[in-house]
Amino acid sequence: MDGIAELRAKYLAEIGAAAGADALEGVRLAALGKKGEISLMMRELGRMSPEERQQAGPALNGLKDEIDAALRARKAALEDAALDERLKAEWLDITLPARPRPRGTIHPVSQVTEEMAAIFADMGFAVAEGPQIETDWYNFDALNIAPEHPARQEHDTFFLHRAAGDNRPPHVLRTHTSPVQIRAMQEQGAPIRVIAPGRVYRMDMDLTHTPMFHQIEGMAIDRDITMANLKWVLEEFFSVYFGQRVKTRFRASHFPFTEPSAEVDIQCSWVGGQLKVGEGDGWMEVLGSGMMHPHVLRSGGIDPDEWQGFAFGMGIDRMAMLKYGIPDLRAFFESDLRWLRHYGFGALEAPSLHAG
């Protein structure tokens, strides 16, 4: 068919000369639109003889495809050029400092746990861990807690459900971290010096109690351990933790797992409704302690005729409240981000017995 070569040259030149999207669209309509030159020539194929159509058809289709491909290529090139110009106009200096963003904080319970672990580490105590779901033997029997003890009732302890016919020992959410002490004695023997921080669970809920809270318990076993060693360890801990010398008072008490047992008070005062630790003539009970009961030592595989030791336990949440003035224990679990920002901590600064 005459004129195909001329059309190819014409439209390829116009496509190459198109300076923008509007000009390129004009070329497309002139060539391939409903009334475009190539489209009109394609319509003529129906009026040709079979011999003419056989010759002209491939030539016209080839021309149409070539022009269409050229249009697409030119469109892409124009878009790339426009993007380059936009990038030049919107250039950003990425070497400038970024906009400041608020940093995350360490939760007070996590902070205090690390603080306490660091202080006891300076006194030679390693950290021991154990499961939060325990058998009642580890949680009660091994610690000399009698079957009729109130703590073993369902209104005080979370017992795990057992299906009918399940004859395994009862399991509970541990009510203290003392089971970790039994496991540590079984695994390491004596002498031993460990602390056991972690979550514990009891069916209790008020200003100073929650169903899930955190405890840290410690024990030291050797041949000549006495109550005097226990008193020194606790007084050193309080002095470092509160940043000043804190007087302590030991009061006789009873715990199934220690004998003799003592509750420990720290010196404090109330000034203007605010608690101040380490001064005044008041006292506040903060933990339980005592010499480890022979039954507990035997449960851990240690001969009480050869070894003796002390043990103590305190609430991490409560120690955080005392040090940082947090009024309600439930705030640890129910408060929003504003509370965390108020009481939260930045990079951890672990205290030390040897600081300063």
Side-chain angles (χ1 to χ4, degrees), residues 232-252:
W232 180 85
V233 165
L234 293 178
E235 287 183 344
E236 287 298 302
F237 166 76
F238 290 133
S239 296
V240 177
Y241 180 71
F242 289 109
Q244 60 181 315
R245 277 291 162 186
V246 179
K247 292 181 180 179
T248 60
R249 182 177 69 176
F250 283 60
R251 291 180 292 106

Side-chain angles (χ1 to χ4, degrees), residues 136-157:
D136 64 346
W137 187 86
Y138 276 104
N139 198 78
F140 297 121
D141 295 325
L143 296 164
N144 201 37
I145 300 176
E148 65 275 8
H149 194 281
R152 303 186 74 155
Q153 306 303 312
E154 292 188 355
H155 57 75
D156 283 332
T157 299

Side-chain angles (χ1 to χ4, degrees), residues 11-12 33 37 44 63 78 95 103 108 124 131 199 212 225 241 255 261-262 265 272 277 281 284 310 319:
Y11 285 115
L12 288 178
E37 283 190 89
E44 295 294 326
L63 175 61
L78 290 173
T95 64
R103 296 179 178 179
R199 294 186 182 93
M212 187 277 285
I225 292 286
Y241 180 71
F255 303 110
S261 302
D265 304 333
V277 175
D281 55 4
M284 173 176 287
F310 65 72
M319 295 303 293

